[in-house]
Amino acid sequence: MGETDKADALDARDIARVLAGDTHAFSPLVERHGSAIAKQMRHYSDDPLVIEELTSDVFVEAYLGLAGFKGLSPFRHWLARIASRTGYKYWKRRDKQKREVPLTALDESRSESVNGQPDPETVTALVYELLAELSDEDRLVLTLMFLENCSHREIAKRMGWSTAIVAMRVVRAKRKLRKIGQQETWKERLSWIPL
């Protein structure tokens, strides 16, 4: 039995215990999957407090909806779908409140280059700033595809969309991102990327 199979068996055991009324049995599920979910939530915010809150939201939703978990796929996949929806809801809620805050404020000290290329932290910050320029749907599809390495099929499954819709949104979002990158305000900051 591999590590993944052992984890799946432990998940199944703990889920059965929770559903039988042992609320404390949910803690091992959080311990096993908490860091992976927190890592996934970093794609939706770079604020540690927001990441912590979103991670908690994922596990609250999972706990409340645990009776709906059918066990047709591993528990970690079910959590990943909840996390994607939670991150998307966070973006929608934030945008609705009109509190658009830049994800990062780049200053000269952070834009040091190595071999003519920006340092990885600057590149990451630029990626998040560029993504913030897109609509929530476009940002979500690119985040799932390129930051979470999801296939079109996995994105469709997580979001309840068809694979054709996913493919169309990916093409449209990449086109919009390229157009944003070609704007005068971004050209200088992205001069090291062939657009």
Side-chain angles (χ1 to χ4, degrees), residues 43 127 131 140-150 155 170 174 177:
H43 298 146
V127 167
L131 287 172
L140 177 66
V141 77
L142 291 181
T143 296
L144 291 173
M145 179 165 239
F146 295 107
L147 298 179
E148 296 186 24
N149 298 316
C150 293
I155 295 169
V170 167
K174 286 167 63 175
L177 193 62

Coordinates of all heavy atoms in Angstrom, one line a residue, residues 43 127 131 140-150 155 170 174 177:
H43 N -2.7 31.3 -4.0 CA -2.9 31.7 -5.3 C -4.0 32.8 -5.4 O -4.2 33.4 -6.4 CB -3.3 30.5 -6.2 CG -2.3 29.5 -6.3 ND1 -2.5 28.2 -6.4 CD2 -0.9 29.6 -6.3 CE1 -1.4 27.5 -6.5 NE2 -0.4 28.4 -6.4
V127 N 3.3 38.7 -11.5 CA 2.3 37.8 -12.0 C 1.0 38.1 -11.3 O -0.1 38.2 -11.9 CB 2.7 36.3 -11.8 CG1 1.6 35.4 -11.9 CG2 3.9 36.0 -12.7
L131 N -2.5 39.4 -13.0 CA -3.7 38.6 -12.8 C -4.8 39.5 -12.2 O -6.0 39.4 -12.5 CB -3.5 37.4 -12.0 CG -2.7 36.3 -12.6 CD1 -2.4 35.2 -11.6 CD2 -3.5 35.7 -13.8
L140 N -9.4 33.3 -12.4 CA -9.6 32.0 -11.8 C -9.1 30.9 -12.8 O -8.4 30.0 -12.4 CB -11.1 31.8 -11.5 CG -11.4 30.4 -11.0 CD1 -10.8 30.1 -9.6 CD2 -12.9 30.2 -10.9
V141 N -9.5 31.0 -14.0 CA -9.1 30.0 -15.0 C -7.6 29.9 -15.2 O -7.0 28.8 -15.3 CB -9.9 30.1 -16.3 CG1 -9.4 31.2 -17.2 CG2 -10.0 28.8 -17.0
L142 N -7.0 31.1 -15.2 CA -5.5 31.1 -15.4 C -4.8 30.6 -14.1 O -3.8 30.0 -14.2 CB -5.0 32.5 -15.8 CG -5.4 32.9 -17.2 CD1 -4.8 34.3 -17.5 CD2 -5.0 31.9 -18.3
T143 N -5.3 31.0 -13.0 CA -4.8 30.5 -11.7 C -4.8 29.0 -11.6 O -3.9 28.4 -11.2 CB -5.5 31.2 -10.5 OG1 -5.3 32.6 -10.5 CG2 -5.0 30.6 -9.2
L144 N -6.0 28.5 -11.9 CA -6.1 27.0 -11.9 C -5.2 26.3 -12.9 O -4.6 25.3 -12.5 CB -7.6 26.6 -12.1 CG -8.6 27.0 -11.0 CD1 -10.0 26.7 -11.4 CD2 -8.3 26.2 -9.7
M145 N -5.1 26.9 -14.0 CA -4.3 26.2 -15.1 C -2.8 26.3 -14.9 O -2.1 25.4 -14.9 CB -4.7 26.8 -16.5 CG -3.9 26.2 -17.6 SD -4.6 26.5 -19.1 CE -4.9 24.9 -19.7
F146 N -2.4 27.6 -14.6 CA -0.9 27.8 -14.5 C -0.3 27.8 -13.1 O 0.9 27.4 -13.0 CB -0.6 29.1 -15.3 CG -0.9 29.0 -16.7 CD1 -2.0 29.7 -17.2 CD2 -0.2 28.2 -17.6 CE1 -2.3 29.6 -18.6 CE2 -0.5 28.1 -18.9 CZ -1.5 28.8 -19.4
L147 N -1.1 28.1 -12.1 CA -0.5 28.1 -10.8 C -0.8 26.8 -10.0 O 0.0 26.4 -9.2 CB -1.0 29.3 -10.0 CG -0.6 30.7 -10.6 CD1 -1.2 31.8 -9.7 CD2 0.9 30.8 -10.7
E148 N -2.0 26.2 -10.4 CA -2.3 25.0 -9.7 C -2.1 23.8 -10.6 O -2.4 22.6 -10.3 CB -3.8 25.0 -9.2 CG -3.9 26.1 -8.1 CD -5.3 26.1 -7.4 OE1 -6.0 25.0 -7.5 OE2 -5.6 27.1 -6.9
N149 N -1.7 24.0 -11.9 CA -1.4 22.9 -12.8 C -2.6 22.0 -13.1 O -2.4 20.8 -13.2 CB -0.2 22.1 -12.4 CG 1.1 23.0 -12.3 OD1 1.3 23.8 -13.2 ND2 1.8 22.8 -11.2
C150 N -3.8 22.6 -13.2 CA -5.0 21.8 -13.5 C -5.1 21.7 -15.0 O -4.9 22.6 -15.7 CB -6.2 22.5 -12.9 SG -6.2 22.5 -11.1
I155 N -10.3 21.6 -14.2 CA -10.9 22.9 -14.0 C -12.4 22.8 -14.2 O -13.2 23.3 -13.4 CB -10.4 23.9 -15.0 CG1 -8.9 24.2 -14.7 CG2 -11.1 25.3 -14.9 CD1 -8.1 25.0 -15.7
V170 N -9.8 30.0 -21.2 CA -8.4 30.0 -21.2 C -7.9 30.9 -22.3 O -7.0 31.8 -22.1 CB -7.8 28.6 -21.2 CG1 -6.3 28.7 -21.5 CG2 -8.0 27.9 -19.9
K174 N -5.9 34.4 -21.7 CA -4.6 34.6 -22.2 C -4.5 35.8 -23.1 O -3.5 36.6 -23.1 CB -4.1 33.4 -22.8 CG -3.7 32.3 -21.8 CD -3.5 30.9 -22.4 CE -2.4 30.8 -23.4 NZ -2.1 29.4 -23.8
L177 N -4.7 38.9 -21.1 CA -3.5 39.1 -20.3 C -2.3 39.7 -21.2 O -1.6 40.6 -20.8 CB -3.0 37.8 -19.6 CG -2.0 37.9 -18.6 CD1 -2.4 38.7 -17.4 CD2 -1.6 36.5 -18.1

